[in-house]
Amino acid sequence: PTRSDCHAWSAHPNFDFLATVAGIDPAKAGFRQVSIEPHLGPLTHLSATLPVPQGEIEVHFQRNGNALSAEVSLPPGMSGEFIWSGEKTPLRTGLQHLQFPR
């Protein structure tokens, strides 16, 4: 009853999942722009949602070998880039579907 899960150490897995595995990072202050570069390791699929000041960033990844199917939704007014295997793709507000290799 005296244990608290709101300490910083308990938040680390959430941050690490969103920033490292899902690869969602701010590219400008206040998440005005975003950089998404997932590091899936052995995972074949992943879905994540990150609340930001403008709304929510949603990602869904499906991987088959080196091929990746990505669905990215950015809130209004946000742009950014998606990076997979060194290839950069611009992102815009709204839902976008990406395929790698192209």
Side-chain angles (χ1 to χ4, degrees):
T2 60
R3 177 185 156 134
S4 172
D5 287 333
C6 64
H7 290 287
W9 60 263
S10 65
H12 175 71
N14 288 333
F15 175 81
D16 211 30
F17 171 74
L18 292 166
T20 303
V21 182
I24 305 170
D25 284 315
K28 287 198 173 177
F31 265 102
R32 288 184 318 223
Q33 287 187 342
V34 66
S35 175
I36 302 176
E37 185 176 7
H39 301 280
L40 301 177
L43 298 175
T44 57
H45 63 277
L46 178 141
S47 293
T49 301
L50 176 65
V52 294
Q54 300 86 336
E56 292 183 338
I57 298 171
E58 294 184 53
V59 297
H60 304 281
F61 306 130
Q62 183 71 41
R63 190 179 62 172
N64 185 5
N66 289 332
L68 178 74
S69 175
E71 186 176 281
V72 178
S73 180
L74 299 183
M78 184 181 288
S79 63
E81 69 179 359
F82 187 91
I83 305 166
W84 181 256
S85 296
E87 185 177 344
K88 296 180 180 181
T89 303
L91 296 172
R92 57 177 166 43
T93 293
L95 180 63
Q96 46 245 286
H97 300 276
L98 308 169
Q99 291 283 57
F100 299 92
R102 295 186 183 259

